[in-house]
């Protein structure tokens, strides 16, 4: 079974039950400020579950891309993913429990559809609490459904676990309640279906095994939610005007079960991605003692590609910061595999190839995705090795805990998200003062808000005069390249030492000698014109409207500095720069070479 086959089968089945197919929504919620990402198939449907009429009617079905990062530390086990696809079907005040449960069972077990053995299916229902009753209705429906398949199904006892005819297990709100997707909204009790993998239960997970046991024998495959409440800001549950059904099943898990694989990473869905990581690292997935690094890289990059395809760039805020965490975490695990070079674009390309047909936005935004991914990779790749050494230094002083200041130092100086520092510390059995980190972080945030100068202290390691000159020359160079080669040229990386500048840019042909001469001439002309260099602080949006070049996820997305060199060049940049171009001296290109697919690299110097 492939992901593609399963998508098609699912939609076809529910279309045959008179459901309309709705296209996947953008991963960034349009109408829900309480959540960063769409986390389920129902999420974009919240207004309709609350009672607004949907243009396509009362029965809907979809395959929705989802991102969940609450379980990010569990990614690498058999089933957890940050990005996944969710198959779902909905009744907006139309059918209810009976149809929902019967259709779930039919799709899972009928030979025409998935053909799973019904003997291997177990289910859970809501046990009720102080205010709500046990879901007897679902129990009765399940008994009948199983009876029709020749199976006697009784309600089981969690203390006794799986035995005899016990097949329906009630659980409390922690397990059998779903929603809301954000902080408020539609929610309700659910019934979940589990598949018995046949794996042997181990006593260390508890005496009796049951569908929600952690031993791994059962995998949850489908969730039918009976959405009857609207959770309000104060936490109260207000009954909805209509009774809805919201179901969801994870595509990757389903493929894993159907193909009897050990984990979602062993399915067709991940095969090409993992193969690419094998090629890059020279390490075979099957031969790894711990499969976590390869799995984490595969998951995180797949998620990053999808998030960027939906318009998010790496940054320190909101969606951008989650994206940044995923990318940086993937880099950190790539080091464990011995990958030292830039590798992300190659893996991302595989994701785009694999999934581009089902999700054309990946293909449409391919260039932006690859460029931004590479930019972000380059930024962190520069600091991670030094940062890791610094981390070792910090913990070598026989310390049992990293202070908030130290964790913040790693964040500020080397770009280590707190989570990475925590993971590194955990591996060494050291604690991190998370609250202290938060304090430092908040302190810094308010300082940077009050002191504009500090805030824009720029991104260069060495602010000596020569690097400042080279930095200004880099801006002139970028504009000159665009003038002479075309507007497809943009920055794909930049590195400045006291001796030279190095500039990577998008362009797929070697420069001719003549082009090089012309580029040098333009830059030197602008030096001669002695153009003033100045900056303005503005919003990123305003900067872009004014036509400023900006190719990096900005560190301070809210307010950015836009540097202008006369009327010639305008770029979002942290600075610093010279005041007048005549101080640059003579500009000379020393070398021009390839820098990966579709990219060139220029080394240039300034002489007196
Ligand atoms: N909202 C439920 C879930 O995400 C069912 O779609 O599991």
């Amino acid at each position: 079974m492939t992901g593609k086959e399963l998508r098609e089968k699912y939609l076809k089945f529910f279309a045959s039950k008179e459901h309309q197919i709705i296209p996947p929504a953008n991963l960034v919620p349009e109408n829900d400020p309480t959540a960063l990402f769409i986390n389920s198939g129902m999420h974009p449907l919240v207004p309709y579950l609350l009672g607004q009429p949907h243009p396509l009617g009362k029965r809907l079905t979809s395959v929705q891309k989802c991102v969940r990062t609450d379980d990010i530390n569990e990614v690498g086990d058999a089933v957890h993913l940050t990005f996944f696809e969710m198959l779902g079907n909905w009744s907006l005040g139309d059918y209810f429990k009976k149809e929902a449960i019967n259709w779930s069972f039919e799709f899972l077990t009928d030979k025409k559809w998935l053909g799973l053995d019904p003997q291997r299916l177990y289910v859970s229902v809501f046990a009720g609490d102080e205010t709500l009753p046990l879901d007897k209705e679902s129990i009765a429906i399940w008994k009948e459904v199983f009876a029709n398949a020749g199976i006697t199904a009784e309600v089981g006892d969690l203390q006794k676990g799986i035995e005899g005819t016990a097949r329906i297990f009630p659980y409390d709100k922690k397990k059998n309640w779903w929603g809301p997707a954000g902080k408020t909204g539609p929610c309700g009790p659910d019934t979940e279906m589990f598949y018995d993998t046949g794996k042997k239960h181990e006593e260390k997970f508890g005496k009796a095994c049951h569908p929600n046991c952690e031993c791994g024998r059962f995998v949850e495959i489908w969730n039918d939610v009976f959405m009857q409440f609207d959770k309000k800001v104060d936490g109260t549950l207000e009954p909805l005007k209509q009774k809805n059904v919201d179901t969801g099943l994870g595509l990757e898990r389903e493929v894993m079960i159907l193909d009897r694989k050990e984990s979602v990473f062993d399915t067709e869905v991940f095969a090409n991605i993992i193969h690419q990581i094998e090629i890059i690292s020279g390490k075979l997935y099957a031969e790894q003692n711990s499969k976590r690094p390869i799995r984490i890289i595969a998951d995180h990059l797949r998620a990053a590609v999808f998030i960027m395809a939906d318009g998010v760039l790496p940054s320190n805020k909101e969606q951008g910061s989650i994206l940044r965490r995923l990318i940086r975490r993937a880099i950190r695990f790539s080091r464990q595999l011995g990958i030292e070079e830039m590798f992300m674009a190659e893996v991302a390309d595989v994701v785009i190839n694999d999934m581009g047909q089902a999700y054309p936005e990946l293909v449409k935004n391919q260039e932006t995705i690859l460029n931004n991914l590479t930019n972000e990779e380059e930024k962190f790749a520069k600091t991670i090795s030094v940062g890791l050494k610094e981390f070792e230094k910090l913990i070598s002083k026989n310390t049992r805990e990293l202070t908030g200041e130290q964790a913040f130092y790693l964040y500020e100086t080397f770009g280590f998200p707190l989570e990475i520092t925590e993971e590194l510390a955990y591996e060494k059995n050291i604690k991190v003062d998370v609250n202290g980190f938060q304090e430092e972080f908040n302190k810094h945030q308010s300082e940077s808000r009050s002191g504009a100068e500090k805030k824009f202290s720029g991104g260069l390691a060495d602010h000596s005069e020569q690097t400042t000159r080279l930095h200004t020359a880099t801006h002139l160079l970028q504009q000159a390249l665009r003038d002479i080669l075309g507007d497809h040229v943009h920055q794909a990386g930049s590195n400045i030492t006291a001796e030279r500048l190095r500039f990577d840019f998008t362009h797929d042909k070697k420069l001719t000698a003549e082009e090089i001469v012309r580029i040098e001439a333009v830059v030197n002309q602008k030096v001669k014109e002695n153009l003033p260099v100045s900056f303005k602080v503005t919003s990123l949006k305003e900067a872009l409207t004014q036509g400023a070049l900006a190719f990096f996820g900005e560190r301070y997305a809210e307010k950015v500095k836009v540097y202008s060199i006369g009327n010639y060049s305008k770029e979002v940049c942290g600075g610093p720069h010279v005041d007048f171009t005549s101080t640059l001296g003579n500009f000379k290109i020393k070398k021009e070479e390839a820098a990966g697919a579709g990219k060139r690299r220029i080394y240039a110097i300034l002489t007196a």
Side-chain angles (χ1 to χ4, degrees), residues 276-288:
Q276 187 62 38
I277 300 171
E278 290 181 319
I279 294 173
I280 295 167
S281 66
K283 304 243 159 67
L284 287 179
Y285 173 68
E287 286 173 6
Q288 297 302 297

Side-chain angles (χ1 to χ4, degrees), residues 39-42 68 86 90 178 223 225 227 246-248:
N39 67 9
S40 56
M42 62 74 73
R68 289 187 191 176
M86 189 180 268
W90 293 274
W178 203 90
N223 187 6
V225 188
M227 295 203 145
D246 152 39
T247 94

Side-chain angles (χ1 to χ4, degrees), residues 63-80:
V63 180
Q64 175 61 44
K65 33 190 186 172
C66 302
V67 167
R68 289 187 191 176
T69 50
D70 357 337
D71 292 334
I72 192 168
N73 289 320
E74 284 171 62
V75 173
D77 71 1
V79 291
H80 282 92

Side-chain angles (χ1 to χ4, degrees), residues 312-541:
V312 177
L313 295 179
S315 75
N316 283 347
K317 278 177 56 179
E318 301 179 336
Q319 285 89 358
S321 70
I322 305 271
L323 172 60
R324 174 163 280 171
R325 259 162 67 192
L326 289 167
I327 296 173
R328 296 194 169 181
R329 205 158 176 266
I331 297 179
R332 144 154 150 71
F333 280 96
S334 75
R335 293 296 194 270
Q336 282 190 9
L337 286 179
I339 300 175
E340 294 289 340
E341 70 274 30
M342 304 278 284
F343 75 103
M344 296 201 150
E346 287 169 45
V347 179
D349 246 341
V350 175
V351 176
I352 295 169
N353 262 331
D354 274 4
M355 309 279 279
Q357 204 191 352
Y359 298 96
E361 62 273 27
L362 302 186
V363 181
K364 196 171 144 233
N365 298 309
Q366 179 156 18
E367 205 183 314
T368 318
I369 296 170
L370 298 183
N371 284 340
N372 284 295
L373 195 59
T374 304
N375 282 346
E376 182 67 12
E377 181 179 13
E378 196 159 63
K379 264 196 245 175
F380 191 52
K382 259 187 225 155
T383 57
I384 184 169
S385 309
V386 188
L388 286 171
K389 277 195 204 114
E390 202 60 28
F391 172 82
E392 294 293 333
K393 240 193 255 164
L394 289 176
I395 63 165
S396 67
K397 295 165 192 143
N398 242 345
T399 175
R400 306 292 339 135
E401 181 178 91
L402 277 187
T403 65
E405 267 173 28
Q406 289 171 326
F408 187 73
Y409 164 66
L410 291 172
Y411 167 79
E412 247 286 86
T413 315
F414 306 104
F416 281 38
L418 177 64
E419 182 181 68
I420 288 188
T421 303
E422 282 188 288
E423 282 171 6
L424 292 168
Y426 180 79
E427 282 164 17
K428 305 271 180 188
N429 225 344
I430 287 171
K431 283 212 214 83
V432 179
D433 178 3
V434 175
N435 291 336
F437 173 87
Q438 276 311 335
E439 275 166 31
E440 283 299 313
F441 186 84
N442 295 341
K443 207 162 79 194
H444 180 87
Q445 292 282 85
S446 45
E447 268 170 24
S448 61
R449 259 192 291 274
S450 60
E453 270 315 299
K454 236 188 215 156
K455 181 169 170 178
F456 296 115
S457 62
L460 291 178
D462 180 353
H463 286 187
S464 74
E465 272 171 47
Q466 187 62 2
T467 56
T468 305
R469 283 193 199 102
L470 285 161
H471 191 187
T472 306
T474 302
H475 282 216
L476 289 176
L477 170 62
Q478 166 148 253
Q479 191 54 47
L481 287 166
R482 288 167 68 88
D483 285 353
I484 287 163
L485 304 174
D487 278 351
H488 62 278
V489 167
H490 53 78
Q491 178 164 343
S494 163
N495 173 276
I496 296 171
T497 69
E499 285 75 40
R500 54 110 182 109
L501 68 83
R502 192 183 80 199
F503 187 70
D504 294 352
F505 58 100
T506 49
H507 183 62
D508 53 15
K509 275 194 294 290
K510 184 165 178 55
L511 301 197
T512 62
E514 194 215 320
E515 281 167 340
I516 291 179
V517 172
R518 281 172 60 203
I519 292 160
E520 285 174 343
V522 170
V523 174
N524 285 319
Q525 173 61 28
K526 298 300 159 190
V527 171
K528 222 169 101 196
E529 286 170 17
N530 198 17
L531 301 171
V533 185
S534 61
F535 73 85
K536 270 208 329 232
V537 176
T538 166
S539 70
L540 182 58
K541 203 166 151 216

Side-chain angles (χ1 to χ4, degrees), residues 81-234:
L81 295 169
T82 56
F83 171 85
F84 62 98
E85 293 174 86
M86 189 180 268
L87 312 169
N89 59 283
W90 293 274
S91 155
L92 304 174
D94 188 32
Y95 60 83
F96 204 46
K97 296 185 184 177
K98 188 160 185 205
E99 293 86 342
I101 291 176
N102 271 280
W103 288 338
S104 291
F105 190 80
E106 183 185 343
F107 182 70
L108 290 176
T109 60
D110 194 312
K111 296 248 165 5
K112 240 174 81 194
W113 302 101
L114 299 189
L116 291 176
D117 178 1
Q119 291 286 355
R120 285 183 177 258
L121 289 184
Y122 288 74
V123 303
S124 65
V125 294
F126 179 51
D129 59 14
E130 316 80 51
T131 48
L132 297 161
L134 164 72
D135 187 357
K136 287 196 189 132
E137 197 184 343
S138 294
I139 293 176
I141 298 167
W142 277 121
K143 282 189 176 178
E144 196 187 319
V145 165
F146 278 114
N148 290 341
I151 298 168
T152 308
E154 303 285 351
V155 174
D157 177 339
L158 290 185
Q159 303 307 319
K160 296 196 184 126
I162 304 291
E163 53 160 26
T165 53
R167 206 171 267 277
I168 305 166
F169 288 81
Y171 292 88
D172 64 13
K173 229 171 171 172
K174 268 200 216 109
K175 294 284 178 207
N176 278 79
W177 186 274
W178 203 90
K183 291 204 170 67
T184 56
C187 54
D190 60 25
T191 177
E192 300 191 335
M193 287 144 263
F194 293 81
Y195 183 78
D196 183 357
T197 64
K199 198 173 153 189
K200 229 174 124 38
H201 172 76
E202 289 171 68
E203 289 249 330
K204 68 175 181 204
F205 295 99
K207 222 170 154 33
C209 185
H210 54 95
N212 272 308
C213 176
E214 309 257 308
C215 71
R217 173 172 164 187
F218 291 96
V219 182
E220 183 212 318
I221 49 173
W222 203 340
N223 187 6
D224 289 1
V225 188
F226 306 116
M227 295 203 145
Q228 304 159 71
F229 300 98
D230 181 8
K231 187 172 180 188
K232 297 294 183 186
V233 183
D234 63 3

